[in-house]
Amino acid sequence: MLFSFRRLNALSIKPSPSTSIFSLPCSTLPLPSSSPSPTPSITPLTKPQLKTLILNHYNHGKFSNLIQSVVASPSVLLTACQNLATPPHNSHDPNSPCPLTPESVSTRFDLLQLAHQLARSEFDPKSCCVRFPPSRRNGESIVLPSLKLKVVVEAIRMVLEIVYDGGFATFVYGGRVGMGRHTAIRYLKNSVENPSWWFTVAFEPALFDSKHVVRLCSIIEERISDRLLIGLIERLFECEVVKIQLGSCYLGRGLPQESGLCSILINIYFNRFDKKIQEIRLRKNEENPKFDTIESGIFFKPVKIYAVRYLDELLVISSGSKMLTMDLKNWVLTYLEEKLALKVDKLKTVIHSAVSEKVDFLGMELQAVPPSVLRPPLSEKAKRARKKYLRQKEVRALELRNARETNRKKLGLKIFSHVFKKLKKSNGFKFEYQIENEVREIFRTWADEVVREFFGSLEERQNWYRQLTAGDFLSLKRIRDQLPCELVDSYDRFQDQVDKHLNPFKAQMALEKEQRRSVEEEERKYSERTVEDLTKLCMKVAAPIELTRKAVRLAGFTNKMGRPRPIMLLTALEDSDIIKWYAGVGRRWLDFFCCCHNFKMVKTVVTYHLRFSCLLTLAEKHEATKRETIRHYTKDLKVLDLNGNEEFHFPTEREVKRMGDYSLSDPKPVDGALTLALIRLAYDAPSHTCIAHFCDKRDTVIYRIRLLQNQLNVDPLDEKKWVAGLGAIRSSLHGKCLPLCADHIKQPRDRIFDRVWGGKPLSSAGSYGRGSYGVVGSSIDARTAEPAAIKKINGVFEHVSVLPGF
């Protein structure tokens, strides 16, 4: 047998009303005994309909009454539910669930009751969230909202997105439709010319406190006159459902602790600053207009200022002097500190030379280089290889042409032999098959190739020209006078055609002219490249390979020597789950760095380090050799589904080779997928509803969260032990258990938590004492006001199918 499977002991758990082994999400809570009230006909709104509804409340330059008339609308809330309801992995399957309806929403919360609470300002966000305590002594707690509160937050986000549609500056990316990371990188690569100096603004790690929230609300009040909306946003900040932490490793990386409102609120807060930068840019463009310098031969570089902001990451580029850049930097720091009350790290906010120094922005390395670096000319070795390839191509074409000519000769002889025999046996014959058109086509193409080959050969043309022009018998005047005029004219016309088509001297001159033209074209291109290298600078975007290798080593894909190694923690998973975890990390890296100049090196990391680490993990799980594992799964990591069909979750080698910068997207970094592992638990207990939003499937499996920083006991804010720029999930989620169905476990691991509710909002009410198995405490369910008991049992997960020691 190829593999030796391990036997896993199941954990028998008999649930009782008074015990709670682990927190379960909202979708697994027992529903109240009262049946949901009948919901009237409610349909979700399209984006044009929602925009029309919001614009109807625009008067005298401000939007008003948005909470009571828009957010509190059941149709808007149902639209928010649809946005949150992530389709399963096989959404094209005819057996996949249908779109959301008010009836399916009413099984989780009353949509009309929520709309009534919002309209009457009776909605309390604090009662719809739960706080997870930190898993470490010095860790941070995390507040996760309920599904009802997430719907309200999504509805507010949709409203603000339409209110501020078109109101942000053109260089603002993130939190906007079609304005993601790759769009910002493509703008830098295509629009920035001749950068001289640049700097990035580094914020000190700090939370949005009360003064920032007050300033944010005052900015919103300039465009929206709705005290209920402003008050609701303030309460969301108070209960920490919306939490903005600038300058940290938690913002803008697609991790679960981010609220959907964070991106648009940051854009609103920085909107005044963006407008000021835009005015400075326009003023510089007016002072330094562009003009054509090709005819005059004068090279002029106008002073330009470029800016790109993605959430809290800001890059300012100048093509002018260093003094101009310093003045601009001082103005930026003064405005951010005085007008926006933000703390800027002045030690990291420094000016760099665009040519000699690299700058980190959006997780990539930027540097100004000559165009020849981005589009290098062919080296001598490449030219020799190209000439060799062209010669081999000519030889293959000649062999093919000779073989085709031989076949045609054989075919012609067969046709003539057949016709001769038929005519010899009888006075005539009839074709059994209509092959006349086919024969004509064969001989026509044959004749065309012969003529084309003849005209392409100077030796053949010279030989025929010499034979047709030899002798001057008809050129003598006394002979021409004795001949008919028609014959002389025909001879002259014939000689003209011979001289026109067969004269080797003209053909030689045309060939030399073509060669001279190609040489001149090559010299012109060389001179243009040389002038561009001396007068122009372009933007080079590269992936941080050293940091990528460090992240690969930190996550355990490679050892200290940089060679692939197995990850023992993942051996508790199913084979398909192991491959999907590696595939999630690999595809995130490929999607994120596909616009980089050194994308081939990222492909090598995925193709070699991740692929063979996955194979070694599978080999370690089944106690097999690497060769046996490759023979079973192949290098493309093929697995079989329940029906016996082959599935490829990991990118194949052919697929990786074809990847490139083909789309404008907003890919999420690999941080969440790299620092997170979901370990399946072996247990014997009743199934629970899937934790994904609006998923009613009960054939779920319980997974436990394992975070990389907790396994390594490393603080993500410590750049010496952690990878610089690598995000992290808050450690409060470490060790929590989640029920997930087979469809939603296929999604990227960090996206699963965008749909986590957080568990029962239990408030402590005292302690009963210590029992035979541990401490028993009492609590009250904030949703149903029912008493509940919590029993802390030591060693309850001793037989969990995870690696010992974790």
Side-chain angles (χ1 to χ4, degrees), residues 765-793:
S767 174
Y768 285 139
R770 179 180 296 272
S772 58
Y773 291 99
V775 179
V776 181
S778 65
S779 61
I780 298 176
D781 192 338
R783 296 180 71 254
T784 60
E786 296 178 353
I790 302 176
K791 179 179 288 186
K792 180 181 178 182
I793 304 177

Side-chain angles (χ1 to χ4, degrees), residues 54-94:
I54 295 175
L55 292 178
N56 289 335
H57 297 82
Y58 182 76
N59 293 315
H60 305 291
K62 286 188 177 183
F63 293 88
S64 60
N65 201 22
L66 293 179
I67 284 289
Q68 294 180 340
S69 301
V70 180
V71 177
S73 173
S75 299
V76 175
L77 294 175
L78 182 60
T79 307
C81 293
Q82 275 203 334
N83 292 347
L84 292 176
T86 304
H89 187 73
N90 55 347
S91 57
H92 300 288
D93 189 359

Side-chain angles (χ1 to χ4, degrees), residues 11-21 683-686 791 793 796:
L11 174 65
S12 300
I13 300 177
K14 296 182 179 180
S16 63
S18 61
T19 61
S20 175
I21 303 300
Y683 71 104
D684 184 15
K791 179 179 288 186
I793 304 177
V796 71

Side-chain angles (χ1 to χ4, degrees), residues 90-143:
N90 55 347
S91 57
H92 300 288
D93 189 359
N95 298 326
S96 60
C98 301
L100 277 180
T101 60
E103 290 75 17
S104 59
V105 176
S106 62
T107 59
R108 293 161 176 84
F109 59 87
D110 194 341
L111 197 65
L112 295 179
Q113 183 182 0
L114 176 60
H116 181 76
Q117 291 176 353
L118 289 171
R120 299 208 170 191
S121 188
E122 298 175 355
F123 180 73
D124 183 17
K126 193 172 183 179
S127 63
C128 300
C129 56
V130 62
R131 180 181 297 273
F132 276 76
S135 58
R136 299 180 180 181
R137 179 177 300 177
N138 298 327
E140 296 182 9
S141 61
I142 182 175
V143 176

Side-chain angles (χ1 to χ4, degrees), residues 602-669:
V602 181
K603 291 181 179 180
T604 303
V605 172
V606 175
T607 304
Y608 175 65
H609 295 93
L610 267 67
R611 189 186 304 275
F612 280 91
S613 176
C614 182
L615 289 170
L616 292 175
T617 303
L618 293 171
E620 185 70 23
K621 173 184 176 180
H622 298 292
E623 298 179 354
T625 62
K626 183 176 72 173
R627 184 171 296 179
E628 292 174 338
T629 308
I630 294 176
R631 189 183 302 118
H632 181 79
Y633 292 99
T634 71
K635 285 188 177 181
D636 292 333
L637 296 173
K638 174 185 65 178
V639 292
L640 301 178
D641 59 2
L642 297 178
N643 299 326
N645 301 322
E646 296 181 353
E647 289 184 342
F648 296 92
H649 303 287
F650 199 90
T652 62
E653 293 183 348
R654 180 184 293 271
E655 185 180 356
V656 171
K657 289 181 180 179
R658 294 179 178 179
M659 286 184 176
D661 186 11
Y662 300 131
S663 61
L664 291 172
S665 60
D666 189 16
K668 292 185 178 181

Side-chain angles (χ1 to χ4, degrees), residues 290-572:
K290 286 186 178 182
F291 59 90
D292 192 4
T293 61
I294 297 178
E295 297 180 358
S296 61
I298 301 174
F299 299 98
F300 173 71
K301 296 181 180 179
V303 178
K304 299 291 182 182
I305 295 177
Y306 306 93
V308 175
R309 185 178 65 79
Y310 185 91
L311 299 181
D312 65 335
E313 297 187 58
L314 176 62
L315 172 66
V316 181
I317 307 172
S318 172
S319 61
S321 62
K322 188 174 183 179
M323 293 300 298
L324 172 65
T325 312
M326 290 179 63
D327 295 339
L328 183 60
K329 189 197 80 167
N330 294 333
W331 179 88
V332 168
L333 296 185
T334 303
Y335 193 95
L336 292 176
E337 291 178 347
E338 295 181 359
K339 301 293 184 180
L340 299 183
L342 299 176
K343 296 181 180 180
V344 180
D345 191 349
K346 296 183 180 180
L347 295 179
K348 296 182 179 180
T349 306
V350 294
I351 298 176
H352 299 275
S353 173
V355 179
S356 59
E357 297 177 275
K358 297 179 181 179
V359 64
D360 295 331
F361 184 66
L362 296 181
M364 305 175 194
E365 296 178 349
L366 308 180
Q367 188 178 11
V369 295
S372 59
V373 176
L374 299 180
R375 298 177 294 273
L378 291 177
S379 61
E380 295 298 328
K381 183 178 180 180
K383 291 180 180 178
R384 290 194 299 269
R386 182 177 177 81
K387 289 181 179 179
K388 181 179 179 181
Y389 168 74
L390 293 177
R391 286 196 300 268
Q392 293 176 353
K393 187 177 179 181
E394 291 177 357
V395 170
R396 288 194 297 268
L398 180 61
E399 293 175 353
L400 182 62
R401 186 166 59 250
N402 292 338
R404 190 162 54 246
E405 185 176 353
T406 302
N407 294 334
R408 285 169 178 169
K409 289 180 180 179
K410 291 181 180 179
L411 178 62
L413 290 176
K414 287 183 180 180
I415 292 175
F416 283 121
S417 175
H418 177 73
V419 171
F420 179 75
K421 289 180 181 179
K422 287 289 186 178
L423 290 175
K424 189 175 181 180
K425 291 181 181 180
S426 59
N427 295 331
F429 69 95
K430 295 182 179 180
F431 286 106
E432 297 179 359
Y433 303 99
Q434 299 295 330
I435 62 172
E436 181 179 359
N437 295 332
E438 288 78 0
V439 173
R440 287 181 182 274
E441 181 65 22
I442 292 173
F443 281 97
R444 186 185 65 79
T445 55
W446 188 9
D448 292 341
E449 290 182 3
V450 171
V451 173
R452 195 181 307 111
E453 182 181 358
F454 170 76
F455 282 112
S457 175
L458 291 178
E459 293 79 6
E460 291 287 342
R461 295 174 68 171
Q462 187 174 4
N463 185 24
W464 278 95
Y465 182 79
R466 184 171 56 252
Q467 293 181 8
L468 293 175
T469 57
D472 54 355
F473 179 74
L474 292 180
S475 301
L476 299 177
K477 188 175 183 308
R478 60 178 179 272
I479 301 298
R480 293 170 63 91
D481 293 341
Q482 299 178 14
L483 295 177
C485 296
E486 292 81 2
L487 179 60
V488 174
D489 294 340
S490 299
Y491 172 76
D492 292 338
R493 289 193 297 270
F494 176 74
Q495 289 297 327
D496 293 339
Q497 296 297 323
V498 169
D499 187 66
K500 178 180 178 181
H501 297 287
L502 301 180
N503 192 346
F505 302 105
K506 292 185 178 181
Q508 185 69 26
M509 291 176 61
L511 182 61
E512 293 177 355
K513 184 178 180 181
E514 181 67 22
Q515 291 178 353
R516 287 196 303 270
R517 190 192 65 80
S518 61
V519 172
E520 292 175 356
E521 182 70 18
E522 188 68 25
E523 292 178 353
R524 185 185 64 81
K525 291 181 179 180
Y526 175 76
S527 62
E528 288 181 356
R529 287 199 303 266
T530 304
V531 172
E532 281 189 351
D533 286 347
L534 296 174
T535 60
K536 187 178 179 180
L537 292 174
C538 299
M539 190 70 69
K540 175 186 175 183
V541 181
I545 296 300
E546 293 300 326
L547 294 180
T548 302
R549 291 172 178 169
K550 186 177 179 181
V552 168
R553 185 168 60 253
L554 181 69
F557 294 108
T558 59
N559 54 20
K560 294 182 179 180
M561 300 294 293
R563 296 177 180 175
R565 62 177 293 271
I567 299 180
M568 304 300 295
L569 176 65
L570 300 178
T571 55

